[in-house]
């Protein structure tokens, strides 16, 4: 008899390690790095067979600002996914505690990062099923990957005595130096730490009580009266704010004595750097690799160079060696491959300079669709806007800017003051400063418009929202 498993996908992430493609507002788990599917979608599809037959079995722990991104990806995967929305990022111990507190004590929870690449889904499911008896017996199960190279980018787990198909855990080791990594690989006693866990909710809560009671207490307080909105569950923000940030490895796994590790022999990557992304692409005869829009990536007399082409223009590497070239519409990264782990320092530098590219893409996701800021200058800004079928922006007004809307494709239903207009392709309207207005898509195909803003101030915080379909605050100025 197959034991039902409740997967919990951990969707946190700062979006720094794969900058400029990944950013805080749009981290790597939402980006289609591999073909046309994001890492989150691939993760959801991979765990879905383990939850078969259990309604709403899959949960995601995500940031409030990413809730509609998660919902979109779940819809693309054809799955109904519950979301536990963290008021603040507090690392994996708190995220897992929230999920355990939202579950029945005997629920068997599988915790998976949203941004790992595991191509053999069947082997993954077989590994998890093989560890079910240990988890049901009260063990805290983690999974380790059989190392293929002496990597210094991953943490390691030392295996102890065999126990069924798994092993006792002797110790966890942080990312080692090269000589230690070589030693670990040669010994055959170490596995890469995959950051994937299987355990009963009650056993996780007991371990947190024993080893990190303050984290558990803060999460209990936050979950005493959470807000429920359909598939969204919101812990109390004030109570959760006092929770300290710590990983589950430090908080529990390295201290508990009832920990087992199960090896995984299939392909696995945490896609944690541009070098890791490059390894997912096939090399040419000179070791060059490409990603993104392959038609726009070109290598001439180059060696061991990775190009990610964003599709806006040709990207050419001429006579280069051991380089990473990452091109996006509003930022370009050129780095020696040996410095791939330091990309987060670039993000910190840009944040210190208050550069928007550190946090957001030029194209910004919204619950109703997206907008792309395609041009701007003194007193004007031009945006391309897409509204999903059946979706609408809030009823709003601006104090400092007027807007001109031109329909490119689809049908727009426009509230403009006291009038409601229906506009087709090539038709337009003008929204004066201070006029209440709303843009909606009444059709079953996407709506695209070009918006030209003009005025003394064009910031996204110049908005007064009167009505909103997405639960956003109408009592203060917020982004569109």
């Amino acid at each position: 008899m197959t034991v039902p498993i409740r997967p919990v996908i951990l969707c946190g992430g700062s979006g720094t390690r794969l900058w400029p493609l990944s950013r805080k507002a749009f981290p790597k788990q939402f980006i289609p790095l591999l073909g046309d599917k994001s890492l989150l979608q691939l993760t959801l599809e991979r765990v879905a067979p383990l939850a078969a037959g259990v309604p709403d079995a899959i949960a995601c722990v995500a940031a409030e600002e990413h809730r509609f991104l998660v919902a979109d990806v779940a819809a693309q995967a054809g799955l109904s996914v519950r979301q536990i929305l963290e008021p603040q990022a507090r690392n994996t111990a708190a995220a897992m505690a929230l999920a355990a507190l939202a579950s029945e004590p005997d629920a068997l929870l599988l915790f998976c990062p949203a941004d790992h690449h595991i191509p053999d889904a069947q082997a993954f499911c077989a590994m998890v099923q093989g560890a079910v008896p240990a988890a049901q017996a009260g063990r805290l199960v983690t999974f380790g990957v059989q190392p293929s190279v002496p990597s210094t980018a991953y943490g390691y787990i030392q295996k102890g005595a065999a126990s069924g198909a798994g092993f006792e855990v002797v110790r966890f080791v942080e990312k080692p130096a090269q000589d230690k990594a070589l030693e670990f690989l040669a010994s055959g006693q170490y596995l890469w730490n995959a950051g994937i866990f299987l355990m009963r909710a009650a056993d996780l809560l007991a371990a947190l009580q024993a080893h990190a009671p303050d984290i558990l207490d803060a999460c209990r307080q936050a979950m005493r009266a959470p807000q429920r909105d359909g598939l969204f569950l919101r812990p109390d923000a004030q109570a959760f704010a006092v929770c300290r940030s710590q990983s589950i490895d430090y908080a529990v796994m390295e201290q508990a004595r009832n920990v087992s590790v199960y090896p995984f022999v299939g392909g696995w990557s945490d896609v944690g750097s541009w070098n890791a992304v490059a390894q997912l692409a096939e090399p040419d005869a000179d070791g060059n690799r490409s990603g993104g829009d392959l038609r726009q990536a070109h290598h001439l007399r180059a060696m061991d160079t990775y190009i990610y082409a964003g599709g806006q223009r040709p990207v050419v590497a001429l006579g280069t060696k051991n380089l990473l070239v990452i091109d996006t519409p509003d930022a370009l990264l050129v780095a020696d491959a040996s410095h791939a782990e330091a990309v987060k320092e670039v993000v910190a530098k840009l944040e210190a300079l208050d550069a928007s590219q550190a946090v957001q893409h030029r194209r910004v996701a919204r619950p109703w669709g997206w907008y792309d800021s395609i041009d701007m200058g003194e007193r004007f800004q031009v945006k391309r806007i897409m509204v999903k079928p059946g979706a609408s922006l809030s009823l709003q007004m601006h104090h400092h800017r007027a807007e001109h809307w031109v329909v490119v494709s689809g049908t727009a239903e426009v509230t403009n003051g006291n009038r409601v207009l229906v506009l087709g392709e090539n038709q337009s309207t003008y929204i004066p400063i201070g006029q209440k207005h709303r843009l909606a898509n009444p059709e079953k195909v996407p709506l695209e418009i070009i918006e030209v803003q003009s005025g003394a101030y064009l910031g996204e915080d110049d908005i007064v929202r009167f009505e909103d379909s997405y639960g956003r605050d109408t009592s203060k100025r917020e982004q569109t």
Side-chain angles (χ1 to χ4, degrees):
M1 179 179 175
T2 302
V3 176
I5 293 172
R6 293 185 174 273
V8 178
I9 312 304
L10 304 174
C11 294
S14 59
T16 59
R17 293 194 292 174
L18 295 187
W19 186 89
L21 190 62
S22 173
R23 307 189 193 181
K24 183 179 179 181
F26 201 74
K28 66 176 178 177
Q29 60 264 31
F30 302 111
I31 298 170
L33 279 171
L34 306 166
D36 59 351
K37 292 185 179 181
S38 66
L39 292 171
L40 175 56
Q41 182 173 347
L42 292 170
T43 300
L44 291 172
E45 292 174 353
R46 184 166 59 249
V47 302
L50 296 167
V54 182
D56 297 331
I58 302 175
C60 287
V61 184
E64 177 79 25
E65 65 181 304
H66 296 150
R67 66 194 187 279
F68 292 106
L69 296 175
V70 174
D72 283 348
V73 173
Q76 291 162 15
L79 297 169
S80 176
V81 172
R82 296 176 293 119
Q83 290 192 53
I84 302 170
L85 300 176
E86 294 177 288
Q88 303 91 15
R90 290 293 184 267
N91 217 314
T92 51
M96 291 169 63
L98 293 176
L101 290 166
S103 306
E104 302 84 6
D106 288 334
L108 201 53
L109 304 179
L110 173 69
F111 295 96
C112 298
D115 54 3
H116 288 187
H117 177 54
I118 304 174
D120 193 338
Q122 286 189 333
F124 172 82
C125 290
M127 172 192 72
V128 174
Q129 291 288 359
V132 165
Q136 285 186 308
R139 304 291 294 180
L140 307 179
V141 175
T142 186
F143 298 96
V145 177
Q146 191 67 45
S148 54
V149 294
S151 174
T152 60
Y154 301 135
Y156 285 72
I157 301 172
Q158 185 179 3
K159 298 184 295 184
S163 176
F167 297 86
E168 301 284 333
V169 170
V170 175
R171 61 173 179 148
F172 290 80
V173 184
E174 289 301 302
K175 297 175 182 178
Q178 187 65 44
D179 59 338
K180 280 293 181 184
L182 284 164
E183 181 184 315
F184 292 167
L185 182 64
S187 74
Q189 294 302 308
Y190 290 82
L191 302 168
W192 288 333
N193 186 353
I196 302 171
F197 308 95
L198 181 70
M199 57 195 70
R200 293 189 311 156
D203 296 324
L204 171 59
L205 296 176
L208 285 164
Q209 183 63 53
H211 304 293
D214 60 318
I215 292 178
L216 179 59
D217 183 61
C219 292
R220 282 194 194 280
Q221 295 298 326
M223 292 292 282
R224 287 196 186 282
Q227 294 181 5
R228 298 180 186 274
D229 175 16
L231 292 174
F232 298 133
L233 186 147
R234 293 178 171 87
D236 181 81
Q238 188 173 354
F240 192 69
V242 304
C243 184
R244 65 184 168 94
S245 177
Q246 192 171 39
S247 72
I248 194 66
D249 284 341
Y250 282 129
V252 170
M253 305 302 286
E254 294 184 6
Q255 303 181 67
R257 302 273 67 88
N258 59 328
V259 180
S260 297
V261 61
Y262 279 67
F264 180 59
V265 211
W268 170 83
S269 171
D270 72 346
V271 200
S273 70
W274 278 113
N275 282 338
V277 175
Q279 290 300 315
L280 300 178
E282 287 296 320
D284 65 14
D286 295 313
N288 299 307
R289 303 170 191 260
S290 301
D293 188 342
L294 303 183
R295 300 166 300 175
Q296 299 278 41
H298 308 282
H299 299 85
L300 297 174
R301 303 176 193 168
M303 294 182 62
D304 300 323
T305 293
Y306 175 76
I307 294 175
Y308 183 93
Q312 300 287 319
R313 56 199 169 192
V315 182
V316 183
L318 173 61
T320 60
K321 185 175 182 181
N322 206 42
L323 282 189
L324 301 166
V325 182
I326 317 301
D327 186 43
T328 69
D330 63 343
L332 170 68
L333 172 69
V334 180
D336 188 287
S338 64
H339 292 269
E341 297 291 336
V343 170
K344 59 185 177 183
E345 297 176 21
V346 177
V347 179
K349 172 79 171 177
L350 292 174
E351 285 183 325
L353 296 171
D354 200 28
S356 62
Q357 291 88 345
V359 177
Q360 287 191 332
H361 283 279
R362 199 184 77 174
R363 176 165 153 170
V364 178
R366 285 287 177 257
W368 42 260
W370 51 258
Y371 70 81
D372 185 357
S373 299
I374 56 180
D375 195 12
M376 65 179 63
E378 182 89 23
R379 298 180 63 90
F380 83 91
Q381 182 168 210
V382 182
K383 289 183 177 181
R384 179 183 171 200
I385 296 176
M386 188 281 287
V387 184
K388 300 173 188 175
S392 66
L393 283 67
S394 58
L395 181 65
Q396 58 189 251
M397 60 87 72
H398 308 293
H399 288 293
H400 304 288
R401 72 175 186 250
E403 296 176 345
H404 300 253
W405 292 348
V406 181
V407 177
V408 177
S409 64
T411 300
E413 183 181 277
V414 178
T415 300
N416 190 347
N418 295 323
R419 297 182 300 155
V420 177
L421 313 172
V422 177
L423 305 179
E425 293 181 13
N426 300 317
Q427 294 184 310
S428 63
T429 190
Y430 167 68
I431 313 290
I433 293 175
Q435 181 96 296
K436 281 187 181 181
H437 60 277
R438 188 202 301 266
L439 176 64
N441 180 0
E443 301 296 334
K444 296 182 179 180
V445 295
L447 162 68
E448 287 201 23
I449 72 164
I450 297 296
E451 175 183 270
V452 180
Q453 302 176 358
S454 59
Y457 179 72
L458 305 173
E460 282 300 311
D461 56 348
D462 177 23
I463 175 174
V464 178
R465 181 176 288 121
F466 300 99
E467 296 175 9
D468 185 68
S469 305
Y470 308 104
R472 295 174 296 180
D473 193 352
T474 57
S475 65
K476 61 182 180 181
R477 295 183 182 183
E478 293 184 345
Q479 292 184 338
T480 302

